[in-house]
Amino acid sequence: MFATTVQKESWHIVSALVENKPGVLFRVTNLFRARSFNIESITVGSTEQQDLSRMTITTNSDEKTLDQLVKQLRKLIDVIEVKVLDTDKTVYRELSLIKIRAVDPTTRSEIVNYATIFRGNILDIGKETITVEITGTPDKIDAFKNLVELYGIAQLSRTGVSALPRGGVES
Amino acid sequence: MTGAKALIQALEKEGVDVVFGLPGGANLPIYDALVDANFRHILVRHEQAAAHMADGYARIKRKAGVCFATSGPGATNLITGIATAYADSSPILAVTGQVPLAMIGKDAFQETDIIGVANPCTKYSFQPRSAAEIPEMIKKAVYIAESGRPGPVLVDIPKDVQQATVDMKFPELIKVRGYNPNVEADLSEMVRAVELLLNAERPIIMAGGGVILSGAFSELQALAELVKIPVVSTFKGKGAFPENHPLAMGPIGMHGHAEANKIILEADCIVAVGARFSDRSVGKFDEFGKGMSIIHMDIDPAEIGKNKSVDVALVGDVKSSLRTLVKMLSKKMIKKDSDNPWLKRRKELIQYYAETLKDYPREITARKSLKKLRELLPANAIVTTEVGQCQMWASLHFDVITPGTFFSSTGLGTMGFGFPASIGAKAARPNVPVVDIAGDGSFNMTENSLAVSVLDKLPVIVFLMNNYMLGMVAQWQRTFYNRRYSGVHQHNCPDYVKIADAYGAQGIRAESMHELEKAIKAALKSDVATVIDIPIDPEEDVYPFVAPGTGLKDMITGA
Ligand SMILES: Cc1ncc(C[n+]2csc(CCOP(=O)(O)OP(=O)(O)O)c2C)c(N)n1
C-alpha cells in the first residue's frame, strides 16, 4: 500500500562496536526483526578492549535500507560505533564446517583433493563421511559447497563473516 | 541503605515530585521505602493508567514522569502506556519489581521477562544485579529518557536487590558511552536551507511534535513571521503554533484541516520541523512532496530519509536549529509583502472551506460543542483527547491558542489514554483547567481513574461526546463496508452521569447547547472531576477524510 521505489540490493558488511554486556545481542537482533531488516549473517565476539564486543553483520540491502539499518543501530544506547565497510578495503573471512557423504574411495580422494586446492583442512574422516573446514570469503565457501554438493552434504555449519578494515590502527 | 531506599533517594535527587503506581509482592520493599519519601504517590486503579498519567505529566512538565508497578501482571499492565509514550517520544520512567535474582528464569510466580516484553517500546532498560548499582542507573535512566529524542525507560529491580543493604554512592555526573544526544546541525546544510528558503515562492512550515518536545514555540513563531510562511502542523504538532495566528493553518493528515491538506500540496518548499512524515500525516510517502524541496529538522538522525528523502537535513535540537536559521535568514531577508499571492492563497482556501464545509444538521454537534468549549476555556487550559472521532473532531474544531497545551495519543492511538493522561497533566500544572475530549468507548476503558481524580484532588473535565458507538470504527464500516455494522454498538450502557456519581465526581448531561454552556461553566468551578455527557448523533461523520493508502490530494471533504 505504501510501496516505495524499488532500489537495487547489494551485499554489505556492517561492523559495529558494542558494549560487552548481557542483552546487547538481543537488542540488536530484535531491532532487525522489528524493522524487517534482512540479515544474512551476524557474528559477535570479543575485541582488543575487554568491555567491547564487535558485531559483524552481512546483509543484502538497497542503499536506503542500509542507511536506515546503520542509523537505527547507532541509535541503540549500547552501540558505540557503526561502520559500513568498503569490501575492497576490508579483510573478511568466514569459517565453515562441511560434512560430506563419502563412502567409496574415489569420492574420498576427490574430496581430499578439492579440500587441498581450497586450502581447507580435513577435520574428521568417518565410515561414511568426511568433514572439511574451509575458511575464506563467503564466495569461496559457496564455490566449495557447490563443488561437493553432488556427493551429498550431510551437515553444514557456517560461522558468518568476521571483518576488519585493512591497514591503519582505527578501532 | 537498602536498594529500595536508594531508589527513592535517587528519585528525590532527580527532583521527582510525584509517582503514579500500584504495589504488589515484588515491589513491597519499594512501597515500604515510599512511606518516607518526600514526593507524592498517587495510587491508581490499573497500572495502564499509571503509565498514562506519568506520560501526561511528562508532556506538560517536559521532564520524566515516573510510574511504579509490581512484577508480572503489574508490569505487563504498564506496557500499553509505555508503548503509547514510546510512539509519541514521551519521557517516562517505569520502575517495576521483579522476582528475586535466584528465581529469574525459573518461571517463578509473577515472573515476566518484562525487559524482553518492553524492548521494542522502550528507549532503554536496566536491571540492577546489586543494590549498589541503583543510584547510577536511576540517574542514567532519567538522563536517557529526557535527553535527545525523549522516550520511556524501564528499570526492573529484583526484590532481593531492593532489600539488600549496602553502602550507597550517589554519582553527581554520569556518562553513557555510545549515547550522544546533543548534536548541532551542520552549518553547510544550514546555508543550503537559507538559500532554499530565500528562493522559495510558496514555502510552508510543517510543525511536528518535536517543536513541542523541545519547547521551540517562540523560535518557530520567529521563523514563520520573519519569512511570512504559513504554518501547518502534523497532528502530533497540533498547538506547536498558536492556531489563531494569522499564519496558522492547522493540522494536515488523515483528518487534517481541508485548507492545510490543500495548501501543502501547492507549496514549493516544505520546512518540516521535528516531524517524521508519518503515513497518518502525509498519506503516500512517494507522492507527498513531489517536485518540492524539503528541509527536514529533527533531533533523531534515524528520521532523516526514513519515510521521505529530503533535500536538506538539519540534525539537532529544533530549538537551536531554528534559532540559527532565523539568525542567518534575518541577515539576508528581503521584507516580504504581507499580502503576497501565497498568503492571499492561504486566506482564500480558509474562506473557501469555511463556506463549503457544513456542520452536521443537529442542535448539538461535535463542531458546535467544541467551539463552545474553546469559547469558555481560558487560553492556557490544557486539553488532551481520547481516540476516534472525538480525537479528530478535537483536531478539527478545537483551536489551541497557548502553544504546548494540547496532546493526544497520536502515534499509537491508544483508547483510554486521554483521561488518565489529563490527571497526570493536572498533577503537573494544578492551576489550569484540564479537559479530556473523550468518546464513550475510550472513556470506558480507563474511567476507573475517576477514583484517582476524586481522591487525589486532581479535578479534570471529561468532555464526553457520547454516541454510544465505537464511532470511528462505525464510520469506517459506513464508508468501506457498506454500513454492515459489526461490534460497534455500546447500547446506551453505562449511564455516565451515574458512573461519575458513583465515584463521587460530578456528572452532568447536556442535551442542548444551552445546557452544555451551563455544564462547562459548572465544571470549571467544580473542585471534583466533572463528566459532561453530551449525547451526539451516532451517524455524525468526521470530515475531511484522507482514506488510508491514498494521498492528501484524494481528500474527501464530505461537502
Ligand atoms: C485500545 C484500542 N482499541 C481499539 C482501537 C481501535 N479504535 C480506534 S477508534 C475506535 C472507536 C473509539 O470509540 P469512542 O472512544 O467511543 O470514540 P468515537 O470514535 O465514538 O468518538 C476504536 C475501537 C484503538 N484505537 N485503541
Side-chain angles (χ1 to χ4, degrees):
Chain A
M1 208 192 286
F2 302 107
T4 40
T5 355
V6 182
Q7 287 184 326
K8 222 180 111 240
E9 287 188 354
S10 48
W11 191 73
H12 303 278
I13 306 175
V14 178
S15 177
L17 269 181
V18 304
E19 296 282 353
N20 176 13
K21 59 183 187 196
V24 180
L25 180 61
F26 162 69
R27 289 178 207 267
V28 169
T29 50
N30 209 17
L31 166 76
F32 291 160
R33 183 197 51 77
R35 295 203 181 258
S36 301
F37 292 135
N38 199 359
I39 297 309
E40 183 193 64
S41 74
I42 181 164
T43 68
V44 199
S46 55
T47 65
E48 70 284 356
Q49 278 162 278
Q50 215 183 5
D51 53 351
L52 292 180
S53 306
R54 188 181 305 279
M55 282 191 189
T56 310
I57 298 140
T58 64
T59 170
N60 279 303
S61 302
D62 60 39
E63 287 302 321
K64 207 178 152 164
T65 312
L66 180 69
D67 179 62
Q68 265 300 300
L69 186 151
V70 169
K71 285 175 174 168
Q72 295 292 349
L73 263 182
R74 282 194 183 129
K75 214 168 131 168
L76 293 181
I77 311 274
D78 288 329
V79 173
I80 313 292
E81 182 192 279
V82 185
K83 278 186 181 155
V84 180
L85 300 179
D86 177 346
T87 46
D88 291 339
K89 296 180 186 147
T90 301
V91 283
Y92 57 100
R93 290 289 181 271
E94 180 177 14
L95 185 144
S96 64
L97 303 179
I98 308 171
K99 189 183 285 179
I100 308 155
R101 290 188 204 287
V103 182
D104 69 281
T106 356
T107 310
R108 287 183 172 240
S109 67
E110 273 174 19
I111 292 171
V112 172
N113 261 339
Y114 287 145
T116 315
I117 296 166
F118 276 78
R119 291 198 228 150
N121 293 317
I122 308 292
L123 298 184
D124 180 50
I125 301 189
K127 278 196 187 118
E128 291 164 18
T129 60
I130 295 183
T131 304
V132 182
E133 172 211 320
I134 304 284
T135 301
T137 62
D139 282 353
K140 176 176 162 184
I141 295 168
D142 286 344
F144 183 81
K145 194 186 115 207
N146 291 339
L147 211 57
V148 297
E149 214 146 37
L150 69 117
Y151 307 118
I153 294 175
Q155 278 180 316
L156 181 130
S157 173
R158 294 173 75 147
T159 58
V161 170
S162 189
L164 283 179
R166 284 181 194 281
V169 279
E170 36 173 357
S171 53
Chain B
M1 186 190 295
T2 65
K5 259 214 142 36
L7 165 72
I8 302 299
Q9 278 205 11
L11 292 174
E12 287 171 352
K13 282 182 197 292
E14 290 303 308
V16 169
D17 56 8
V18 58
V19 165
F20 308 91
L22 199 149
N27 66 354
L28 271 167
I30 295 176
Y31 269 77
D32 183 58
L34 197 53
V35 175
D36 305 316
N38 69 13
F39 52 78
R40 189 173 175 196
H41 173 260
I42 290 179
L43 175 64
V44 295
R45 301 292 166 112
H46 187 296
E47 291 87 350
Q48 179 188 347
H52 290 328
M53 286 177 196
D55 187 347
Y57 174 92
R59 293 195 206 208
I60 291 306
K61 273 265 160 116
R62 287 203 279 115
K63 54 180 255 190
V66 186
C67 54
F68 285 176
T70 188
S71 66
T76 53
N77 270 353
L78 286 179
I79 290 295
T80 301
I82 293 176
T84 304
Y86 187 74
D88 281 346
S89 310
S90 182
I92 68 174
L93 173 63
V95 181
T96 48
Q98 182 55 281
V99 301
L101 281 173
M103 298 302 286
I104 291 181
K106 307 287 190 291
D107 299 322
F109 176 64
Q110 295 196 327
E111 178 188 1
T112 299
D113 167 24
I114 198 64
I115 290 201
V117 173
N119 177 268
C121 54
T122 41
K123 189 169 170 185
Y124 199 61
S125 50
F126 293 94
Q127 188 179 65
R129 303 239 139 203
S130 85
E133 296 170 33
I134 290 176
E136 183 173 331
M137 277 186 183
I138 293 299
K139 202 165 177 63
K140 282 186 177 170
V142 170
Y143 167 60
I144 291 172
E146 291 176 352
S147 57
R149 178 181 187 163
V153 174
L154 170 70
V155 181
D156 187 40
I157 313 180
K159 189 171 183 180
D160 49 345
V161 176
Q162 299 168 32
Q163 286 162 324
T165 305
V166 295
D167 276 345
M168 289 291 170
K169 275 203 207 70
F170 290 83
E172 290 295 321
L173 282 173
I174 40 129
K175 213 180 140 242
V176 185
R177 176 168 69 166
Y179 179 60
N180 303 306
N182 303 318
V183 276
E184 282 287 326
D186 196 72
L187 213 62
S188 63
E189 291 281 292
M190 199 60 90
V191 170
R192 291 183 48 219
V194 169
E195 260 166 42
L196 278 179
L197 272 174
L198 287 176
N199 292 322
E201 273 174 30
R202 298 179 310 282
I204 191 126
I205 291 173
M206 177 171 104
V211 177
I212 300 171
L213 288 169
S214 136
F217 308 120
S218 56
E219 289 79 3
L220 179 73
Q221 207 163 321
L223 175 67
E225 286 169 2
L226 176 70
V227 196
K228 301 218 164 55
I229 316 182
V231 182
V232 300
S233 72
T234 62
F235 180 43
K236 175 96 199 292
K238 182 177 169 72
F241 190 75
E243 295 191 291
N244 59 348
H245 190 282
L247 290 166
M249 304 279 299
I252 57 164
M254 181 174 279
H255 290 292
H257 292 197
E259 55 270 25
N261 279 343
K262 194 81 184 161
I263 199 165
I264 198 164
L265 296 177
E266 298 177 8
D268 63 355
C269 176
I270 300 174
V271 192
V273 191
R276 62 187 173 94
F277 300 96
S278 79
D279 52 301
R280 268 266 161 159
S281 291
V282 306
K284 278 193 197 162
F285 296 142
D286 278 357
E287 203 176 284
F288 180 82
K290 242 193 186 143
M292 311 174 194
S293 46
I294 301 181
I295 300 167
H296 190 184
M297 300 184 185
D298 206 283
I299 199 163
D300 181 358
E303 283 305 335
I304 309 296
K306 187 182 83 183
N307 291 352
K308 194 72 217 154
S309 305
V310 297
D311 300 273
V312 176
L314 301 173
V315 179
D317 181 2
V318 295
K319 191 180 181 107
S320 128
S321 298
L322 281 168
R323 236 183 237 155
T324 315
L325 188 60
V326 168
K327 211 187 274 169
M328 287 171 70
L329 269 167
S330 52
K331 288 192 192 125
K332 297 203 171 175
M333 204 61 211
I334 319 140
K335 277 266 169 296
K336 271 200 186 162
D337 213 351
S338 279
D339 54 24
N340 67 54
W342 182 230
L343 292 183
K344 271 196 192 134
R345 179 68 181 147
R346 171 188 169 273
K347 272 197 192 139
E348 195 178 285
L349 282 171
I350 291 176
Q351 201 173 352
Y352 171 77
Y353 285 113
E355 284 161 12
T356 339
L357 302 182
K358 296 278 180 285
D359 198 5
Y360 191 73
R362 204 166 181 262
E363 145 78 12
I364 201 161
T365 65
R367 192 204 287 195
K368 271 190 262 179
S369 36
L370 288 166
K371 298 261 180 217
K372 181 56 74 187
L373 178 67
R374 174 69 286 174
E375 192 189 305
L376 298 177
L377 281 187
N380 66 351
I382 294 169
V383 168
T384 174
T385 83
E386 298 296 345
V387 169
Q389 292 181 306
C390 53
Q391 181 184 34
M392 296 307 145
W393 281 320
S395 174
L396 285 162
H397 307 306
F398 185 90
D399 285 344
V400 180
I401 297 169
T402 306
T405 55
F406 176 91
F407 64 89
S408 178
S409 169
T410 64
L412 204 67
T414 306
M415 288 170 69
F417 165 80
F419 180 47
S422 73
I423 294 173
K426 186 78 182 175
R429 208 175 282 168
N431 297 326
V432 303
V434 180
V435 181
D436 171 34
I437 296 176
D440 51 293
S442 300
F443 180 55
N444 218 173
M445 286 198 178
T446 49
E447 75 197 10
N448 59 15
S449 290
L450 275 169
V452 179
S453 179
V454 170
L455 295 174
D456 289 273
K457 305 206 165 22
L458 295 165
V460 298
I461 301 169
V462 179
F463 197 77
L464 185 65
M465 291 191 286
N466 187 359
N467 47 18
Y468 279 118
M469 272 273 196
L470 298 174
M472 185 55 96
V473 179
Q475 175 170 346
W476 284 46
Q477 290 176 352
R478 277 195 290 280
T479 314
F480 302 118
Y481 295 89
N482 211 13
R483 302 184 68 89
R484 272 161 60 96
Y485 287 131
S486 177
V488 289
H489 290 100
Q490 309 273 40
H491 299 294
N492 294 327
C493 178
D495 180 327
Y496 288 99
V497 172
K498 285 189 184 152
I499 289 272
D501 202 43
Y503 281 101
Q506 172 177 227
I508 309 175
R509 188 159 294 124
E511 286 173 312
S512 68
M513 287 308 290
H514 174 68
E515 283 177 16
L516 180 62
E517 178 157 348
K518 273 191 6 203
I520 296 172
K521 285 180 176 161
L524 285 169
K525 284 205 202 90
S526 170
D527 51 13
V528 291
T530 305
V531 178
I532 308 179
D533 181 8
I534 313 161
I536 59 165
D537 192 319
E539 297 270 324
E540 185 175 349
D541 282 330
V542 187
Y543 286 117
F545 183 23
V546 178
T550 70
L552 297 183
K553 69 167 175 27
D554 308 309
M555 170 176 70
I556 309 158
T557 61

